[in-house]
DNA sequence: GGTTAGTGTCTTTTAACCGG
DNA sequence: CCGGTTAAAAGACACTAACC
């Protein structure tokens, strides 16, 4: 009955059991998982969000890839939203589907992917009174990758959606809002993958807009929990060869200011220049290859520093997929490239 | 079990392209 | 500059699965 936190051993893996926390309003998902690719149905999405809702990131931040989580949801909470028969079939298909994470390798600069199955066991047991998720320990590094930021979004909102494309779109928008960005561009191919659209579906852009983006847009605009309005337009040549979609979040500023936590958090970081420069110096040393002179120049100049941090976050989240050499690119953006003709 | 939103397929319209 | 060609976009409509 009591949900004590404890360690139990199954096969060669450890599991950390997390106690159920009632009424958690927000779900947090690492940005690398926001832009990962998984084709979930509506019910699978709901089950997955119930799982995400209960992850205690603070408690488990040092978890390793040999330790999985046990997440328990009291049956009375989940039965309000998902019927037993649906839960039974769709939790099985959820467990069978991998999440695909695509990245650009730091060393070889080539594309790479990881298919990962998030759960090794999902158990429904009325005697215990819980739906239990046993995560694949291999997913722990992705769930708890602290260098990346998290998208924060409302759990109730996700449960209320009808279209399967609204949830991933909502998480994507929240990710960008969380980074104070109100405009972003994705290739058709990429946005299709993020939203989990099958390759053979909506091959016409018109159908893609009509049945994927428009329903998501409408639902988000009408949401009683948190409405987000966004526009999008085709980028590239008109009519033929539309390659990218440019999204603009209309009231991103209002949204981020409405949330007190985010606002005070942001203010704290701006007011504390040490926080920013400490974080930046770690990133500079680890991910970039430049002279100490250039590094200190960035760290000591407030304007350069904030610009650097913004660009670095964008790089980490695939906003500039074509960049091969981070150092050279970012130095050019910061106007720090030596020009021989001058001086 | 009825209603509605989502999906598949076929037809029509549109505008970029291209050769003269 | 024009008009035919072509592929994408838009429209029409029937079917189907999900939801209440």
């Amino acid at each position: 009955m009591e949900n004590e936190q404890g360690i139990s051993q199954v096969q060669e893996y450890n599991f950390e059991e997390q106690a159920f926390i009632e009424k958690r309003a927000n779900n947090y998902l690492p940005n690398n998982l926001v832009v990962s690719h998984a084709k979930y149905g509506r019910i699978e999405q709901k089950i997955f969000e119930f799982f995400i809702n209960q992850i205690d990131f603070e408690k488990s931040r040092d978890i390793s890839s040999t330790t999985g989580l046990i997440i328990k949801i009291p049956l009375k909470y989940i039965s309000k939203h998902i019927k037993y028969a649906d839960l039974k079939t769709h939790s099985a298909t959820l467990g069978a589907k991998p999440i695909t994470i695509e990245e650009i390798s730091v060393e070889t600069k080539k594309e790479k992917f990881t298919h990962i199955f998030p759960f090794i066991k999902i158990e429904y047991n009325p005697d215990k009174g819980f739906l239990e998720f046993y995560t694949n320990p291999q997913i722990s590094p992705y769930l708890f990758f602290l260098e990346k930021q998290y998208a924060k979004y409302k759990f109730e909102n996700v449960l209320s959606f009808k279209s399967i494309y609204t949830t991933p779109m909502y998480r994507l928008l929240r990710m960008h809002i969380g980074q104070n960005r109100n405009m972003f561009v994705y290739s058709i191919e990429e946005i299709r993958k993020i939203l989990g659209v099958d390759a053979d579906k909506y091959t016409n852009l018109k159908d893609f807009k009509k049945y994927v983006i428009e329903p998501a847009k409408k639902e988000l605009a009408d949401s009683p929990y948190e409405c987000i309005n966004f526009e999008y337009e085709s980028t590239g040549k008109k009519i033929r060869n539309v390659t990218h979609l440019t999204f603009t979040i209309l009231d991103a500023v209002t949204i981020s200011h409405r949330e007190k936590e985010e606002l005070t958090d942001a203010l704290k970081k701006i007011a504390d220049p040490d926080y920013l420069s400490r974080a930046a110096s770690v990133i500079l040393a680890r991910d970039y290859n430049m002279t100490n002179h250039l590094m200190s120049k960035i760290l000591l100049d407030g304007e350069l520093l904030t610009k650097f941090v913004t660009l670095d976050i964008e790089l980490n989240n695939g906003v500039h997929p074509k960049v091969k050499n981070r150092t050279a690119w970012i130095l050019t953006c910061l106007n720090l490239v030596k020009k021989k003709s001058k001086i």
Side-chain angles (χ1 to χ4, degrees), chain A residues 137-152:
Chain A
Q138 297 286 319
I139 204 168
S140 296
Y142 296 98
L143 278 179
F144 303 102
F145 195 40
L146 290 174
E147 271 94 338
K148 304 260 177 167
Q149 297 189 359
Y150 291 82
K152 173 186 172 186

Side-chain angles (χ1 to χ4, degrees), chain A residues 74-256:
Chain A
L75 298 182
K76 61 173 179 173
Y77 289 103
I78 208 157
S79 64
K80 278 182 192 168
H81 295 91
I82 305 166
K83 283 188 293 186
Y84 174 76
D86 289 337
L87 194 57
K88 190 173 146 191
T89 52
H90 289 94
S91 56
T93 51
L94 171 67
K97 288 180 184 176
I99 295 174
T100 300
I101 295 152
E102 288 189 68
E103 299 161 284
I104 307 288
S105 161
V106 179
E107 289 90 33
T108 58
K109 311 288 179 205
K110 287 181 179 169
E111 282 184 279
K112 62 175 183 178
F113 69 85
T114 310
H115 295 307
I116 191 150
F117 296 88
F119 306 109
I120 58 172
K121 182 166 108 174
I122 301 172
E123 185 183 352
Y124 181 101
N125 189 337
D127 297 334
K128 294 181 188 170
F130 292 104
L131 178 74
E132 292 183 336
F133 295 91
Y134 287 70
T135 70
N136 177 356
Q138 297 286 319
I139 204 168
S140 296
Y142 296 98
L143 278 179
F144 303 102
F145 195 40
L146 290 174
E147 271 94 338
K148 304 260 177 167
Q149 297 189 359
Y150 291 82
K152 173 186 172 186
Y153 52 95
K154 294 198 186 304
F155 181 41
E156 281 287 323
N157 214 5
V158 169
L159 289 178
S160 75
F161 296 145
K162 287 179 178 169
S163 165
I164 58 167
Y165 305 116
T166 312
T167 303
M169 178 60 87
Y170 176 50
R171 298 198 297 209
L172 187 67
L173 291 165
R174 286 293 327 175
M175 179 184 96
H176 287 288
I177 292 168
Q179 294 174 355
N180 292 320
R181 197 181 305 118
N182 72 338
M183 194 172 161
F184 54 93
V185 182
Y186 283 98
S187 70
I188 304 284
E189 194 189 348
E190 185 65 15
I191 191 75
R192 286 176 64 100
K193 283 183 182 173
I194 292 171
L195 299 180
V197 181
D198 288 325
D200 56 344
K201 270 185 189 172
Y202 313 128
T203 45
N204 287 349
L205 185 60
K206 171 250 164 181
D207 285 335
F208 179 68
K209 286 178 176 173
K210 184 177 171 185
Y211 296 117
V212 178
I213 302 181
E214 284 297 335
K217 187 182 167 187
K218 190 174 182 299
E219 262 194 302
L220 284 167
D222 296 344
S223 164
Y225 301 98
E226 177 190 36
C227 64
I228 298 176
N229 291 294
F230 69 93
E231 293 287 343
Y232 59 97
E233 59 180 24
S234 305
T235 310
K237 290 179 184 175
K238 276 186 181 179
I239 304 301
R240 288 187 196 187
N241 300 326
V242 172
T243 56
H244 291 71
L245 291 179
T246 305
F247 294 85
T248 312
I249 305 167
L250 298 178
D251 46 5
V253 178
T254 325
I255 292 166
S256 66

Side-chain angles (χ1 to χ4, degrees), chain A residues 19-38:
Chain A
F20 180 74
I21 307 161
E22 213 171 319
K23 290 183 181 172
R24 291 188 98 184
N26 293 304
N27 281 14
Y28 296 85
L29 193 68
N31 288 348
N32 58 341
L33 292 185
V34 171
V35 298
S36 70
H37 313 139

Side-chain angles (χ1 to χ4, degrees), chain A residues 272-338:
Chain A
D272 179 11
D274 286 350
Y275 172 87
L276 213 59
S277 75
R278 254 184 289 122
S281 69
V282 174
I283 294 167
L284 270 169
R286 191 192 57 210
D287 295 343
Y288 294 87
N289 179 24
M290 58 178 80
T291 62
N292 288 336
H293 171 69
L294 282 170
M295 286 191 349
S296 56
K297 202 165 181 177
I298 292 169
L299 291 173
L300 293 174
D301 185 314
E303 200 178 317
L304 283 178
L305 184 61
T306 49
K307 205 169 171 186
F308 165 77
V309 171
T310 312
L311 292 170
D312 179 69
I313 289 168
E314 289 183 5
L315 280 173
N316 283 339
N317 290 289
V319 180
H320 310 285
K322 283 178 183 170
V323 173
K324 294 261 163 63
N325 183 338
R326 298 167 75 99
T327 307
W329 182 81
I330 219 153
L331 285 175
T332 314
C333 291
L334 297 174
N335 242 337
L336 289 173
V337 181
K338 282 180 216 160

